[in-house]
């Protein structure tokens, strides 16, 4: 279907919220054709003269695109140089940089990045060189299934998702989500009286069959809300489960969305952190083949955009994971009709993203060029692979681990690691008692542990959340902050009899600190399971 | 009252919108006390390691605080050097700069500005060094009438005002505004079904008597909305009228707001562009006394905060006019109770302002220090004074101007300039026909012209907006973009029999371009009034 490049635009009038409907097409009415015309002398807006911007230029020492090796660091390499700088922290490492500079003035002010334009009032579309880069990037990487898709900057995926909600949903409506999901996405909806309908998950994330069933059997009077027409999903390195969805499942979900006229909000911050399957240390072997950029891109699960022949996907991309969270910069890829509404929605809040951020990021990207940015992303993916591997290796050192292929629906077909306490003495009570289970993520930043609270000596039915918070507090008091599972439950009804969850991130801590954290975690958990 | 420094907090429960009420205190519930504790190993959030931020440092050539003279440029100085660089544009001028650099890592990461913190996920409160600067700045400059006021960053006053509206107003409510006001402030409210109640204005802006009358006589059933409890005002260099309000009027309005329990949203982007009274070129004299920073600050009309002994003022400050619009950075000054709600409101949209912008602006301000920033603001005020004077001088060269002291209520007591066509031949039909009237603004960026369409040969009652748009289009077609009056009317009912309006900005164009624009404007207007 993707190859047909059809362009049957969906009928947006079925989807716009009352809020979006009431927004003017443009607050400027008939004046728009004169606004921004560079041949007119502009006395209309309250724009300061650029000589009043207190900067002659802004510059940065930008890292080179190949700053990170494509050769994963392995525990065996503890004595190697690469290991040494990790041990002592990146802060002491000499980074290889190129100077980038954004001048105040440019001879071609629209096409060359300059402060006089980037720091002036601008449209919510952002500066042109950034727009161009993003349009080309989305086109090359995601290959949307229709021709006239467009890109539009936003100030991060949280802002992007908030704009989608307000553009498409009325108060009292419900949205479709994974049963475990990103809490901030729900916190955005909740005050507007927009609540989630959790869809069952498996090893690939959201299940198409449960989505179909939920929509087909929707009973408006029983539910107290019309059938949902907006779906929120994190399809890669799912937050919190770490699941990654392949193209086939995306196609199935897309087809359900076509049938029931649902718009897909694809929140995909971890897309480029696809790391391949985890292999236990013993199976890894010491030689790693350095892969090419083409192989890297080819190995990435395609975006929902690739299935999208109707313009019903709104993809959210962010620079938070690849440049920096503080850049507060990302972009939508969607149909121009939806982009127009999202742009209006943004005009009365944050307006355009920060001009310092836009110009610095645009200068970085245009200096690196498309290929350089892909190389940077590839390097990061390998970094996260090393981090994931090291984190799981550390966990496996602390527990007795049984590896199997799961037949439980949520992890069907995947490698599952069942962890129990390593017996140290014959008298240890909890020996080989199942403590937690996980499946190694193939993308993203998170390890999602299913805790077997039913193995806890004092467990009684219904105690899951109490035990989860008791254990969470003990871990925190011992010096490690993990994320408790309840935080990610789409609704209070989501639970797993006898189980609890923790989400652990391997994205931020130094390697020795990760090991220390895992040791502390193991110590606290073992003590907890030994309680009477 | 201000000196009493009482702290009777208003009862916010009367004011919070349903939206804000439904927002959780914090999405983290009981976890908050552990979050952000630097002694814990953080595996909870999805924070990238700072070594993955592709910058070793960011730097800028910052202008020095005394870049702009305190001696206003005068038309007499056309041959002086200062005039020459203005003529050829600031872009060719050599700016005097100091290098500022933001390193990636700092030894005291919370107190010293660094990219590792500024570009990481952070709270909606922004980076600490910026918070500290702003708290001190608001304290010293605005001297709020109660002790425990606080400051909170936002991404520009448009975002700030949007957060105020959503925090305080339910759909269907009405807000109090000046009868001519900033259209974007209304565009924010309008889709939520929140509409303005226009309050009459005079030479100082909003009138306290009309505000009192409106509130005292409020008839909920006739109006279809409860009595408003939120007031939006631009008290200095009012947009579009240019009016500036003194402390006495602010005190009167504040007292009315106390009586009727109204919260004041003080949107004050032009505060530091207070320029003093305009004097015609002939009265100006060639010697200008260079004033001190103390005299400059002392001459500024106090903020509503100075009257605020109850914490019912939410002041909006922005860097858009003093650093750059593209910084998308400003701050609230208000009570901590309100700030907490505004912070929650921001967390699910733009979150924190951009870390590039925060760190660059914070580095600039802490390099300049409080005194340096005040010197910069003072220099800008003088620049805008020169711009205003030059613009009005140019206008006066093109028209026959009669100066008088107004007795019309809106401009009572102010100098009013009535402009008519200079007769060039005895046969010119429109000679001395009153074309427009204005009062020179003492602050801000705008000149607000009242057009006498009743002097137009083809005028018929009710034609005001038609003639305004006809003339606006002719001016645009001739190459000058001004802002048409209808754009700023709070409601469709606002009009002035026989009159129209144009807002002209003197903030952006080069000096010779301003003169050219005024000539084109004069030419088109004269032709327009000579039509049959």
């Amino acid at each position: 279907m993707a190859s047909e490049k059809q362009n049957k635009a969906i009928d947006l009038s079925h989807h716009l919220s009352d809020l979006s409907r009431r927004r003017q097409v443009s607050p400027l009415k008939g004046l728009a054709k004169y606004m921004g015309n560079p041949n007119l002398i502009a006395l209309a807006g309250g724009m300061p003269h650029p000589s009043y911007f207190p900067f002659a230029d802004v510059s940065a020492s930008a890292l080179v695109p190949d700053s990170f090796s494509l050769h994963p660091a392995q525990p065996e390499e503890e004595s190697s140089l690469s290991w040494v700088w990790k041990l002592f922290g990146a802060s002491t490492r000499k980074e290889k940089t190129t100077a980038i500079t954004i001048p105040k003035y440019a001879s071609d002010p629209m096409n060359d990045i300059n402060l006089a334009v980037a720091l002036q009032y601008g449209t919510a579309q952002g500066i042109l060189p950034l727009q161009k880069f993003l349009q080309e990037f989305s086109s090359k990487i995601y290959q949307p299934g229709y021709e006239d898709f467009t890109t539009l900057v936003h100030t991060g995926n949280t802002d992007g998702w908030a704009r989608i909600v307000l553009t498409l949903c009325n108060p009292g409506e419900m949205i479709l989500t994974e049963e475990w999901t990103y809490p901030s996405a729900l916190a955005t909806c909740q005050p507007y009286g927009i609540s989630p309908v959790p869809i069952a998950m498996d090893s690939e994330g959201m299940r198409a069959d449960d989505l179909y069933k939920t929509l087909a059997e929707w009973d408006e009077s029983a539910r107290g809300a019309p059938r949902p027409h907006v779906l929120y999903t994190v399809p890669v390195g799912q937050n919190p489960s770490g699941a990654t969805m392949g193209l086939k499942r995306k196609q199935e979900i897309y087809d359900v969305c076509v049938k029931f006229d649902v718009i897909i909000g694809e929140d995909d911050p971890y897309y480029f952190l696809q790391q391949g399957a985890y292999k236990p240390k013993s199976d890894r072997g010491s030689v790693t083949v350095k892969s090419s950029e083409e192989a890297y891109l080819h190995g990435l699960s395609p975006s929902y955009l690739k299935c999208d022949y109707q313009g019903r996907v709104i993809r959210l991309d962010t620079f938070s994971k690849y440049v920096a969270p503080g850049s507060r910069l990302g972009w939508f890829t969607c149909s121009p009709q939806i982009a127009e509404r999202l742009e209006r929605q943004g005009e009365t809040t944050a307006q355009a993203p920060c001009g310092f951020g836009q110009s610095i990021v645009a200068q970085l990207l245009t200096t690196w060029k498309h290929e350089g940015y892909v190389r940077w992303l590839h390097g990061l993916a390998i970094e996260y692979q090393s981090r994931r591997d090291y984190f799981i290796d550390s966990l496996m050192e602390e527990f007795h681990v049984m590896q199997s292929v799961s037949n439980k629906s949520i992890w069907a077909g995947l490698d599952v690691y069942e962890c129990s306490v390593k017996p140290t003495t014959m008298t240890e009570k909890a020996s080989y008692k199942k403590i937690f289970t996980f499946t190694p993520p193939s993308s993203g930043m998170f390890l999602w542990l299913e805790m077997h609270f039913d193995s806890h000596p004092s467990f009684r039915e219904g105690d899951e959340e109490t035990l989860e918070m008791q254990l969470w507090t003990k871990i925190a008091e011992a010096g490690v902050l993990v994320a408790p599972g309840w935080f990610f439950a789409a609704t209070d009804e989501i639970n797993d009899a006898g189980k609890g969850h923790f989400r652990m991130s391997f994205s931020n801590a130094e390697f020795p600190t990760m090991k220390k954290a895992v040791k502390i975690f193991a110590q606290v958990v073992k003590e907890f399971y030994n309680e009477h």
Side-chain angles (χ1 to χ4, degrees), chain A:
Chain A
M1 263 186 189
S3 61
E4 294 176 24
K5 294 271 183 192
Q6 300 179 52
N7 190 9
K8 298 186 243 170
I10 55 167
D11 185 353
L12 249 199
S13 66
H14 298 154
H15 289 286
L16 288 184
S17 68
D18 293 339
L19 181 70
S20 187
R21 265 181 243 279
R22 283 190 293 252
R23 265 192 207 286
Q24 290 163 347
V25 171
S26 160
L28 298 168
K29 296 184 191 172
L31 288 59
K33 70 169 171 168
Y34 295 102
M35 304 303 287
N37 180 337
N39 298 320
L40 299 182
I41 302 174
L43 305 182
M47 297 189 300
H49 190 278
S51 63
Y52 302 151
F53 302 165
F55 300 101
D57 57 57
V58 168
S59 48
S61 306
L63 270 60
V64 295
D66 59 353
S67 291
F68 295 103
S69 162
L70 299 182
H71 184 78
Q74 296 207 5
E76 288 83 47
E77 298 168 27
E78 293 205 16
S79 60
S80 82
L81 257 181
S82 120
W83 176 250
V84 167
W85 78 253
K86 271 178 178 147
L87 193 74
F88 291 101
S91 54
T92 55
R93 179 177 162 240
K94 181 84 189 116
E95 291 165 321
K96 197 177 161 200
T97 61
T98 320
I100 60 172
T101 296
I102 302 136
K104 190 160 196 167
Y105 303 101
S107 54
D108 181 353
M110 292 318 291
N111 291 303
D112 297 338
I113 301 162
N114 64 92
L115 298 178
V117 168
L119 296 185
Q120 190 53 275
Y121 285 108
T123 69
Q125 294 175 349
I127 59 171
L128 194 59
L130 184 59
Q131 287 177 42
K132 284 182 181 170
F133 189 95
L134 300 178
Q135 182 77 23
E136 186 192 327
F137 187 84
S138 276
S139 175
K140 282 188 180 168
I141 304 287
Y142 306 126
Q143 303 165 21
Y146 62 107
E147 291 290 358
D148 73 336
F149 66 91
T150 191
T151 53
L152 173 68
V153 290
H154 55 60
T155 66
N157 283 9
T158 302
D159 167 54
W161 169 241
R163 287 205 230 169
I164 291 174
V165 171
L166 294 182
T167 298
L168 300 178
C169 297
N170 283 327
E173 290 186 0
M174 300 182 86
I175 53 160
L176 303 152
T177 68
E178 284 114 3
E179 57 187 346
W180 299 95
T181 188
Y182 177 47
S184 187
L186 302 186
T188 299
C189 303
Q190 174 262 334
Y192 293 95
I194 296 165
S195 51
V197 183
I199 304 297
M201 297 166 72
D202 65 13
S203 60
E204 286 203 66
M206 186 178 279
R207 282 171 49 169
D209 57 352
D210 195 51
L211 179 66
Y212 183 91
K213 188 167 179 292
T214 302
L215 288 165
E217 296 175 0
W218 191 264
D219 179 343
E220 181 163 343
S221 59
R223 295 278 199 161
R227 199 177 65 209
H229 62 108
V230 175
L231 181 150
Y232 174 79
T233 183
V234 182
V236 173
Q238 204 266 347
N239 190 348
S241 77
T244 294
M245 190 179 280
L247 180 60
K248 182 167 173 290
R249 173 69 60 81
K250 282 175 179 159
Q251 185 64 63
E252 288 165 10
I253 288 184
Y254 186 84
D255 290 344
V256 175
C257 290
V258 169
K259 181 169 175 62
F260 294 99
D261 195 14
V262 171
I263 291 184
I264 298 170
E266 180 182 34
D267 182 7
D268 211 351
Y270 312 109
Y271 186 78
F272 295 98
L273 304 184
Q274 299 187 43
Q275 301 142 12
Y278 170 79
K279 284 183 198 162
K281 210 166 161 179
S282 51
D283 303 353
R284 241 173 272 160
S286 59
V287 181
T288 312
V289 179
K290 195 172 156 179
S291 68
S292 69
E293 262 60 83
E294 295 92 294
Y296 163 66
L297 290 177
H298 190 74
L300 301 176
S301 168
S303 161
Y304 271 106
L305 286 172
K306 183 122 183 176
C307 319
D308 189 18
Y309 63 96
Q310 295 189 317
R312 63 169 66 253
V313 173
I314 310 175
R315 182 180 165 87
L316 294 168
D317 273 286
T318 178
F319 286 110
S320 290
K321 312 300 183 190
Y322 313 117
V323 174
S327 60
R328 298 287 79 216
L329 188 64
W331 75 99
F332 301 101
T333 308
C334 60
S335 77
Q337 294 79 10
I338 292 176
E340 189 274 336
R341 291 288 85 195
L342 294 169
E343 186 182 341
R344 294 289 93 70
Q345 185 69 40
E347 280 173 350
T348 54
T349 55
Q351 299 186 331
C354 174
F356 291 107
Q358 279 197 71
S359 53
I360 293 172
V361 172
Q363 191 70 277
L364 178 78
L365 295 174
T366 54
T367 302
W368 278 355
K369 299 197 172 63
H370 179 83
E371 291 66 30
Y373 187 45
V374 171
R375 174 60 184 80
W376 172 259
L377 295 170
H378 190 184
L380 284 186
I382 302 290
E383 284 290 307
Y384 280 88
Q385 179 186 340
S386 302
R387 288 181 156 272
R388 176 201 62 184
D389 290 355
Y390 184 76
F391 192 81
I392 296 177
D393 292 350
S394 303
L395 208 55
M396 289 176 73
E397 283 167 20
E398 298 295 327
F399 292 92
H400 177 265
V401 181
M402 289 252 298
Q403 189 190 339
S404 64
V405 175
S406 178
N407 56 4
K408 186 175 170 177
S409 72
I410 188 166
W411 286 331
L414 286 188
D415 284 341
V416 162
Y417 293 75
E418 233 175 60
C419 302
S420 44
V421 175
K422 265 188 185 164
T424 49
T425 68
M426 287 301 289
T427 55
E428 200 165 347
K429 290 176 179 168
S431 350
Y432 289 97
K433 195 187 282 177
K434 211 159 68 171
I435 294 189
F436 62 91
T437 303
F438 68 92
T439 178
S442 64
S443 310
M445 299 182 160
F446 307 117
L447 189 64
W448 180 239
L449 304 187
E450 183 184 86
M451 306 299 301
H452 298 277
F453 288 129
D454 43 12
S455 309
H456 189 273
S458 75
F459 176 74
R460 285 201 200 92
E461 224 175 285
D463 267 6
E464 293 87 349
E465 198 174 314
T466 312
L467 286 169
E468 183 177 291
M469 282 313 292
Q470 276 177 8
L471 179 53
W472 184 88
T473 307
K474 283 177 194 288
I475 299 167
E477 294 288 346
V480 178
L481 201 63
V482 299
W486 63 261
F487 194 46
F488 303 93
T491 67
D492 291 344
E493 288 72 42
I494 302 294
N495 59 40
D496 212 353
K499 307 290 188 293
H501 298 86
F502 291 120
R503 190 194 74 175
M504 299 171 95
S505 159
F506 49 82
S507 62
N508 183 263
E510 306 291 344
F511 280 55
T513 311
M514 281 203 277
K515 190 177 279 269
K516 184 179 161 198
V518 166
K519 278 187 188 296
I520 293 171
F521 170 80
Q523 179 67 24
V524 174
V525 165
K526 288 173 193 171
E527 280 169 18
F528 185 74
Y529 274 79
N530 268 339
E531 283 173 1
H532 297 273

